[in-house]
Amino acid sequence: MSAHSDTGPAHGHKHGHDHGRGHAHQTTDADWDAMAERLEAGGELQLPVLRRTAARLGELLGPSAEVRRILDIGSGPGVMTCVLAGAFAGAETVAVDGAPGLLDRTLSRAERLGLDGRVAVRHADLPEGLRTGDGPGADGLGTADLIWSSKAVHHLGDQQGALDALAGALKPGGLLAVAEGGLPMRCLPRDIGIGAPGLQARLDAAQEKRFAIMRSELPGSTPAVEDWPAMLRRAGLTRVGSFTFLLDLPAPLGGTARAFLHDQLTRLREIAGDLLDAQDVETLDVLTDPGSAQGILHRPDAFLLSATTVFTGVRTATAEGSAR
Ligand SMILES: C[S@@+](CC[C@H](N)C(=O)[O-])C[C@H]1O[C@@H](n2cnc3c(N)ncnc32)[C@H](O)[C@@H]1O
């Protein structure tokens, strides 16, 4: 599974933009909404990493920073939104997403965790939601001391444009953190005793192809060299850096992680099956067969190892209060 194992909903199009019907940017939220459970389960598995990430963001902001407002852009089911709300007790944390069902899930989650009142949601179709208004951050989303965005910027056609807008929405001294890097997730040994060894590398390659197609079909798709630190600098940010945290769940895996992997492999078969050869598709069929002892739900060698890289930059306060 590649580092960006979220190429979007199964049929390859997420927030679909139906130019044919004359709507500049019509959102088909149902697709992301349908992925809600998978996204929340994946987020919950990552909780230890997300908590460490929130703590690191606090360190980067510094002990004297007053964090009053946080935006989580492309917040999905709000797992990190709630982690951020827990870590920055004095802040209002706003989950921003284009899928209403995921925003509802965020509010339920916040309520369950006793964070209601501190977590707000904002429905926004990006990038429009970032760009309207008289100037950077002057739109409905407002400004923030901390802007977090995980695996969402790559779903926007113009990634640099999105980073520029997010950087512009930071208060002076504020921090932008985008989780857009890492390594492909691993869950199986090279040779699993069925099919040809090296399945995961071939799944990565298929997903990369699917990812490239997904990006090329986005409205305003703009090719970019994905040098995230350079892009953050170009957006006017300073003190640019990155950090990586590992999720390391060794074999034997518990039921929750197995269910998550079963979901991932099922989805991979759906979105990339046509890019794999017949033997690999057969192997995926065995791995996703709930009744097979060789399936991911039962095999003893399944593990979960993933690395997520977060790129960060700070909006420097100048005499004019401008970022640049
Ligand atoms: C892969 S999920 C990431 C969710 C969460 N941040 C995480 O890391 O688990 C991408 C999220 O971005 C949202 N999204 C994608 N494209 C969007 C757009 N154009 N406007 C608003 N939200 C969008 C989707 O609804 C989805 O919740």
Side-chain angles (χ1 to χ4, degrees):
M1 284 157 244
S2 86
H4 29 245
S5 60
D6 58 315
T7 45
H11 40 290
H13 216 86
K14 12 118 274 140
H15 286 257
H17 302 274
D18 185 354
H19 300 286
R21 276 186 283 160
H23 300 290
H25 287 285
Q26 189 174 62
T27 304
T28 53
D29 299 314
D31 301 332
W32 281 112
D33 287 342
M35 289 179 70
E37 215 159 301
R38 178 182 294 133
L39 286 171
E40 192 160 3
E44 283 183 347
L45 276 179
Q46 291 279 347
L47 269 173
V49 168
L50 297 180
R51 290 192 184 111
R52 287 169 70 200
T53 298
R56 177 65 67 87
L57 297 178
E59 286 164 20
L60 288 170
L61 280 158
S64 56
E66 281 187 41
V67 181
R68 299 223 181 280
R69 191 156 190 270
I70 301 171
L71 292 174
D72 181 353
I73 303 293
S75 48
V79 179
M80 185 56 163
T81 311
C82 290
V83 168
L84 290 169
F88 296 93
E92 179 202 41
T93 304
V94 185
V96 180
D97 205 282
L102 292 175
L103 295 174
D104 289 347
R105 219 171 166 103
T106 301
L107 286 176
S108 309
R109 186 174 180 85
E111 195 177 342
R112 238 178 12 255
L113 297 175
L115 293 165
D116 45 328
R118 306 239 335 279
V119 168
V121 296
R122 185 69 56 87
H123 180 254
D125 209 3
L126 306 174
E128 291 75 11
L130 294 169
R131 289 204 188 119
T132 52
D134 296 324
D139 67 291
L141 296 183
T143 57
D145 307 287
L146 169 61
I147 300 180
W148 164 260
S149 183
S150 165
K151 294 181 238 155
V153 173
H154 67 241
H155 288 294
L156 305 179
D158 180 1
Q159 298 179 106
Q160 182 67 57
L163 292 182
D164 292 350
L166 291 175
L170 283 175
K171 290 184 191 162
L175 182 78
L176 172 61
V178 290
E180 287 288 351
L183 293 173
M185 183 191 285
R186 284 290 174 266
C187 63
L188 290 165
R190 188 189 69 89
D191 190 336
I192 59 171
I194 41 172
L199 174 70
Q200 287 212 264
R202 293 190 296 282
L203 292 180
D204 290 345
Q207 258 191 292
E208 287 296 345
K209 281 189 197 153
R210 187 57 71 220
F211 187 83
I213 293 167
M214 181 277 289
R215 280 217 47 79
S216 71
E217 290 177 346
L218 287 172
S221 180
T222 310
V225 175
E226 287 165 3
D227 176 346
W228 294 94
M231 290 165 86
L232 289 178
R233 276 187 213 102
R234 222 173 285 136
L237 301 182
T238 57
R239 285 162 50 200
V240 168
S242 71
F243 61 88
T244 298
F245 285 131
L246 212 57
L247 178 70
D248 178 13
L249 304 179
L253 273 187
T256 309
R258 284 179 187 279
F260 168 75
L261 290 176
H262 183 268
D263 237 35
Q264 291 279 318
L265 292 172
T266 304
R267 184 163 166 278
L268 255 179
R269 197 195 174 301
E270 281 167 26
I271 64 165
D274 57 333
L275 299 171
L276 298 168
D277 69 23
Q279 190 185 29
D280 283 343
V281 173
E282 260 174 54
T283 306
L284 278 180
D285 285 343
V286 175
L287 285 171
T288 54
D289 178 355
S292 169
Q294 290 181 307
I296 200 76
L297 291 179
H298 305 292
R299 50 186 310 129
D301 55 0
F303 58 91
L304 203 164
L305 184 62
S306 78
T308 303
T309 300
V310 178
F311 300 96
T312 59
V314 172
R315 175 172 178 166
T316 307
T318 65
E320 296 83 40
S322 150
R324 317 220 170 154

mmCIF file of all heavy atoms in Angstrom, residues 167-201:
data_model
loop_
_atom_site.group_PDB
_atom_site.id
_atom_site.type_symbol
_atom_site.label_atom_id
_atom_site.label_comp_id
_atom_site.label_asym_id
_atom_site.label_seq_id
_atom_site.Cartn_x
_atom_site.Cartn_y
_atom_site.Cartn_z
ATOM 1 N N ALA A 167 -1.191 29.059 3.995
ATOM 2 C CA ALA A 167 -0.170 29.886 4.659
ATOM 3 C C ALA A 167 -0.720 31.281 4.919
ATOM 4 O O ALA A 167 -0.470 31.883 5.969
ATOM 5 C CB ALA A 167 1.093 29.947 3.793
ATOM 6 N N GLY A 168 -1.514 31.779 3.952
ATOM 7 C CA GLY A 168 -2.090 33.113 4.093
ATOM 8 C C GLY A 168 -3.135 33.194 5.192
ATOM 9 O O GLY A 168 -3.458 34.271 5.675
ATOM 10 N N ALA A 169 -3.699 32.057 5.568
ATOM 11 C CA ALA A 169 -4.722 32.045 6.623
ATOM 12 C C ALA A 169 -4.105 31.908 8.021
ATOM 13 O O ALA A 169 -4.826 31.872 9.014
ATOM 14 C CB ALA A 169 -5.711 30.919 6.369
ATOM 15 N N LEU A 170 -2.772 31.809 8.086
ATOM 16 C CA LEU A 170 -2.114 31.701 9.404
ATOM 17 C C LEU A 170 -1.990 33.065 10.054
ATOM 18 O O LEU A 170 -1.676 34.059 9.384
ATOM 19 C CB LEU A 170 -0.693 31.133 9.247
ATOM 20 C CG LEU A 170 -0.524 29.642 9.001
ATOM 21 C CD1 LEU A 170 0.965 29.345 8.746
ATOM 22 C CD2 LEU A 170 -1.041 28.823 10.184
ATOM 23 N N LYS A 171 -2.168 33.093 11.358
ATOM 24 C CA LYS A 171 -1.837 34.311 12.092
ATOM 25 C C LYS A 171 -0.316 34.424 12.158
ATOM 26 O O LYS A 171 0.379 33.394 12.099
ATOM 27 C CB LYS A 171 -2.408 34.241 13.506
ATOM 28 C CG LYS A 171 -3.916 34.341 13.520
ATOM 29 C CD LYS A 171 -4.423 34.372 14.942
ATOM 30 C CE LYS A 171 -5.932 34.209 14.939
ATOM 31 N NZ LYS A 171 -6.479 33.812 16.214
ATOM 32 N N PRO A 172 0.237 35.627 12.312
ATOM 33 C CA PRO A 172 1.688 35.741 12.457
ATOM 34 C C PRO A 172 2.184 34.841 13.589
ATOM 35 O O PRO A 172 1.580 34.795 14.668
ATOM 36 C CB PRO A 172 1.891 37.217 12.797
ATOM 37 C CG PRO A 172 0.693 37.901 12.185
ATOM 38 C CD PRO A 172 -0.438 36.925 12.315
ATOM 39 N N GLY A 173 3.235 34.099 13.308
ATOM 40 C CA GLY A 173 3.752 33.150 14.299
ATOM 41 C C GLY A 173 3.064 31.797 14.226
ATOM 42 O O GLY A 173 3.454 30.850 14.904
ATOM 43 N N GLY A 174 2.037 31.702 13.369
ATOM 44 C CA GLY A 174 1.273 30.452 13.270
ATOM 45 C C GLY A 174 2.015 29.383 12.486
ATOM 46 O O GLY A 174 2.948 29.661 11.737
ATOM 47 N N LEU A 175 1.558 28.154 12.674
ATOM 48 C CA LEU A 175 2.238 26.984 12.100
ATOM 49 C C LEU A 175 1.306 26.253 11.139
ATOM 50 O O LEU A 175 0.154 25.968 11.474
ATOM 51 C CB LEU A 175 2.634 26.039 13.247
ATOM 52 C CG LEU A 175 3.397 24.770 12.885
ATOM 53 C CD1 LEU A 175 4.870 25.067 12.603
ATOM 54 C CD2 LEU A 175 3.305 23.748 14.042
ATOM 55 N N LEU A 176 1.841 25.954 9.944
ATOM 56 C CA LEU A 176 1.119 25.085 8.999
ATOM 57 C C LEU A 176 1.809 23.725 8.994
ATOM 58 O O LEU A 176 3.040 23.650 8.900
ATOM 59 C CB LEU A 176 1.157 25.702 7.589
ATOM 60 C CG LEU A 176 0.622 24.820 6.442
ATOM 61 C CD1 LEU A 176 -0.857 24.468 6.646
ATOM 62 C CD2 LEU A 176 0.792 25.542 5.086
ATOM 63 N N ALA A 177 1.035 22.671 9.137
ATOM 64 C CA ALA A 177 1.596 21.309 9.155
ATOM 65 C C ALA A 177 0.795 20.452 8.181
ATOM 66 O O ALA A 177 -0.420 20.325 8.330
ATOM 67 C CB ALA A 177 1.511 20.725 10.566
ATOM 68 N N VAL A 178 1.480 19.903 7.190
ATOM 69 C CA VAL A 178 0.788 19.039 6.226
ATOM 70 C C VAL A 178 1.395 17.640 6.269
ATOM 71 O O VAL A 178 2.598 17.461 6.135
ATOM 72 C CB VAL A 178 0.822 19.612 4.773
ATOM 73 C CG1 VAL A 178 -0.055 20.839 4.648
ATOM 74 C CG2 VAL A 178 2.224 19.915 4.302
ATOM 75 N N ALA A 179 0.528 16.667 6.493
ATOM 76 C CA ALA A 179 0.965 15.263 6.503
ATOM 77 C C ALA A 179 0.769 14.739 5.087
ATOM 78 O O ALA A 179 -0.334 14.354 4.708
ATOM 79 C CB ALA A 179 0.136 14.465 7.505
ATOM 80 N N GLU A 180 1.821 14.791 4.319
ATOM 81 C CA GLU A 180 1.719 14.400 2.902
ATOM 82 C C GLU A 180 2.868 13.487 2.486
ATOM 83 O O GLU A 180 3.081 13.282 1.296
ATOM 84 C CB GLU A 180 1.701 15.646 2.000
ATOM 85 C CG GLU A 180 0.404 16.442 2.042
ATOM 86 C CD GLU A 180 -0.771 15.736 1.343
ATOM 87 O OE1 GLU A 180 -0.544 14.718 0.683
ATOM 88 O OE2 GLU A 180 -1.913 16.213 1.497
ATOM 89 N N GLY A 181 3.603 12.989 3.444
ATOM 90 C CA GLY A 181 4.743 12.147 3.062
ATOM 91 C C GLY A 181 4.788 10.889 3.897
ATOM 92 O O GLY A 181 3.908 10.619 4.717
ATOM 93 N N GLY A 182 5.810 10.118 3.674
ATOM 94 C CA GLY A 182 5.992 8.886 4.443
ATOM 95 C C GLY A 182 6.418 7.744 3.549
ATOM 96 O O GLY A 182 6.980 7.965 2.481
ATOM 97 N N LEU A 183 6.131 6.550 3.994
ATOM 98 C CA LEU A 183 6.514 5.353 3.246
ATOM 99 C C LEU A 183 5.275 4.513 2.988
ATOM 100 O O LEU A 183 4.304 4.587 3.740
ATOM 101 C CB LEU A 183 7.512 4.521 4.065
ATOM 102 C CG LEU A 183 8.884 5.129 4.296
ATOM 103 C CD1 LEU A 183 9.682 4.265 5.264
ATOM 104 C CD2 LEU A 183 9.639 5.271 2.980
ATOM 105 N N PRO A 184 5.320 3.681 1.950
ATOM 106 C CA PRO A 184 4.198 2.778 1.729
ATOM 107 C C PRO A 184 3.999 1.868 2.938
ATOM 108 O O PRO A 184 4.959 1.399 3.534
ATOM 109 C CB PRO A 184 4.650 1.945 0.521
ATOM 110 C CG PRO A 184 5.708 2.737 -0.142
ATOM 111 C CD PRO A 184 6.382 3.516 0.949
ATOM 112 N N MET A 185 2.723 1.682 3.287
ATOM 113 C CA MET A 185 2.420 0.803 4.425
ATOM 114 C C MET A 185 2.785 -0.643 4.078
ATOM 115 O O MET A 185 2.624 -1.083 2.938
ATOM 116 C CB MET A 185 0.925 0.894 4.733
ATOM 117 C CG MET A 185 0.510 0.076 5.950
ATOM 118 S SD MET A 185 -1.287 -0.029 6.067
ATOM 119 C CE MET A 185 -1.665 1.612 6.646
ATOM 120 N N ARG A 186 3.296 -1.356 5.055
ATOM 121 C CA ARG A 186 3.615 -2.771 4.863
ATOM 122 C C ARG A 186 2.810 -3.611 5.848
ATOM 123 O O ARG A 186 2.636 -3.217 7.005
ATOM 124 C CB ARG A 186 5.113 -3.018 5.077
ATOM 125 C CG ARG A 186 5.971 -2.555 3.915
ATOM 126 C CD ARG A 186 5.735 -3.468 2.711
ATOM 127 N NE ARG A 186 6.417 -3.017 1.496
ATOM 128 C CZ ARG A 186 5.846 -2.248 0.565
ATOM 129 N NH1 ARG A 186 4.617 -1.818 0.725
ATOM 130 N NH2 ARG A 186 6.507 -1.906 -0.530
ATOM 131 N N CYS A 187 2.308 -4.760 5.376
ATOM 132 C CA CYS A 187 1.538 -5.618 6.272
ATOM 133 C C CYS A 187 1.844 -7.099 6.087
ATOM 134 O O CYS A 187 1.322 -7.931 6.833
ATOM 135 C CB CYS A 187 0.045 -5.376 6.113
ATOM 136 S SG CYS A 187 -0.609 -5.785 4.484
ATOM 137 N N LEU A 188 2.688 -7.431 5.099
ATOM 138 C CA LEU A 188 2.972 -8.838 4.812
ATOM 139 C C LEU A 188 4.445 -9.018 4.480
ATOM 140 O O LEU A 188 5.086 -8.100 3.946
ATOM 141 C CB LEU A 188 2.143 -9.301 3.596
ATOM 142 C CG LEU A 188 0.631 -9.427 3.804
ATOM 143 C CD1 LEU A 188 -0.078 -9.524 2.452
ATOM 144 C CD2 LEU A 188 0.312 -10.643 4.672
ATOM 145 N N PRO A 189 4.982 -10.253 4.738
ATOM 146 C CA PRO A 189 6.357 -10.521 4.297
ATOM 147 C C PRO A 189 6.433 -10.527 2.765
ATOM 148 O O PRO A 189 5.398 -10.571 2.088
ATOM 149 C CB PRO A 189 6.649 -11.920 4.837
ATOM 150 C CG PRO A 189 5.501 -12.308 5.685
ATOM 151 C CD PRO A 189 4.360 -11.395 5.395
ATOM 152 N N ARG A 190 7.657 -10.538 2.234
ATOM 153 C CA ARG A 190 7.837 -10.534 0.767
ATOM 154 C C ARG A 190 7.212 -11.772 0.146
ATOM 155 O O ARG A 190 6.509 -11.694 -0.852
ATOM 156 C CB ARG A 190 9.344 -10.487 0.453
ATOM 157 C CG ARG A 190 9.676 -10.278 -1.009
ATOM 158 C CD ARG A 190 11.160 -10.472 -1.250
ATOM 159 N NE ARG A 190 11.551 -11.872 -1.089
ATOM 160 C CZ ARG A 190 11.546 -12.771 -2.071
ATOM 161 N NH1 ARG A 190 11.188 -12.419 -3.281
ATOM 162 N NH2 ARG A 190 11.900 -14.017 -1.836
ATOM 163 N N ASP A 191 7.466 -12.941 0.782
ATOM 164 C CA ASP A 191 6.911 -14.196 0.256
ATOM 165 C C ASP A 191 5.847 -14.679 1.236
ATOM 166 O O ASP A 191 6.156 -15.004 2.391
ATOM 167 C CB ASP A 191 8.036 -15.233 0.107
ATOM 168 C CG ASP A 191 7.571 -16.470 -0.666
ATOM 169 O OD1 ASP A 191 6.345 -16.747 -0.679
ATOM 170 O OD2 ASP A 191 8.429 -17.154 -1.244
ATOM 171 N N ILE A 192 4.602 -14.727 0.785
ATOM 172 C CA ILE A 192 3.511 -15.116 1.702
ATOM 173 C C ILE A 192 3.009 -16.532 1.415
ATOM 174 O O ILE A 192 1.976 -16.952 1.944
ATOM 175 C CB ILE A 192 2.351 -14.104 1.655
ATOM 176 C CG1 ILE A 192 1.769 -13.973 0.232
ATOM 177 C CG2 ILE A 192 2.795 -12.747 2.169
ATOM 178 C CD1 ILE A 192 0.481 -13.163 0.168
ATOM 179 N N GLY A 193 3.702 -17.223 0.531
ATOM 180 C CA GLY A 193 3.347 -18.619 0.268
ATOM 181 C C GLY A 193 2.223 -18.796 -0.740
ATOM 182 O O GLY A 193 1.869 -19.920 -1.078
ATOM 183 N N ILE A 194 1.662 -17.697 -1.193
ATOM 184 C CA ILE A 194 0.667 -17.776 -2.285
ATOM 185 C C ILE A 194 1.027 -16.720 -3.324
ATOM 186 O O ILE A 194 1.520 -15.640 -2.979
ATOM 187 C CB ILE A 194 -0.797 -17.562 -1.810
ATOM 188 C CG1 ILE A 194 -0.891 -16.425 -0.766
ATOM 189 C CG2 ILE A 194 -1.408 -18.834 -1.254
ATOM 190 C CD1 ILE A 194 -2.328 -16.060 -0.412
ATOM 191 N N GLY A 195 0.803 -17.055 -4.587
ATOM 192 C CA GLY A 195 1.114 -16.105 -5.664
ATOM 193 C C GLY A 195 2.606 -15.843 -5.765
ATOM 194 O O GLY A 195 3.422 -16.584 -5.199
ATOM 195 N N ALA A 196 2.934 -14.767 -6.470
ATOM 196 C CA ALA A 196 4.355 -14.435 -6.666
ATOM 197 C C ALA A 196 4.835 -13.531 -5.533
ATOM 198 O O ALA A 196 4.115 -12.616 -5.119
ATOM 199 C CB ALA A 196 4.522 -13.729 -8.002
ATOM 200 N N PRO A 197 6.054 -13.791 -5.003
ATOM 201 C CA PRO A 197 6.595 -12.916 -3.955
ATOM 202 C C PRO A 197 6.638 -11.455 -4.427
ATOM 203 O O PRO A 197 6.726 -11.199 -5.627
ATOM 204 C CB PRO A 197 8.007 -13.464 -3.730
ATOM 205 C CG PRO A 197 7.941 -14.891 -4.175
ATOM 206 C CD PRO A 197 6.956 -14.906 -5.319
ATOM 207 N N GLY A 198 6.583 -10.539 -3.471
ATOM 208 C CA GLY A 198 6.695 -9.118 -3.804
ATOM 209 C C GLY A 198 5.361 -8.459 -4.137
ATOM 210 O O GLY A 198 5.322 -7.410 -4.780
ATOM 211 N N LEU A 199 4.265 -9.041 -3.649
ATOM 212 C CA LEU A 199 2.932 -8.512 -3.966
ATOM 213 C C LEU A 199 2.806 -7.034 -3.585
ATOM 214 O O LEU A 199 2.292 -6.221 -4.347
ATOM 215 C CB LEU A 199 1.855 -9.330 -3.230
ATOM 216 C CG LEU A 199 0.430 -8.796 -3.359
ATOM 217 C CD1 LEU A 199 -0.110 -8.989 -4.776
ATOM 218 C CD2 LEU A 199 -0.505 -9.447 -2.344
ATOM 219 N N GLN A 200 3.302 -6.679 -2.409
ATOM 220 C CA GLN A 200 3.047 -5.311 -1.941
ATOM 221 C C GLN A 200 3.738 -4.268 -2.813
ATOM 222 O O GLN A 200 3.190 -3.188 -3.031
ATOM 223 C CB GLN A 200 3.455 -5.172 -0.465
ATOM 224 C CG GLN A 200 2.456 -5.896 0.431
ATOM 225 C CD GLN A 200 2.323 -5.214 1.777
ATOM 226 O OE1 GLN A 200 2.968 -5.611 2.740
ATOM 227 N NE2 GLN A 200 1.506 -4.205 1.845
ATOM 228 N N ALA A 201 4.924 -4.606 -3.324
ATOM 229 C CA ALA A 201 5.599 -3.664 -4.225
ATOM 230 C C ALA A 201 4.762 -3.465 -5.490
ATOM 231 O O ALA A 201 4.642 -2.341 -6.002
ATOM 232 C CB ALA A 201 6.991 -4.182 -4.582
#
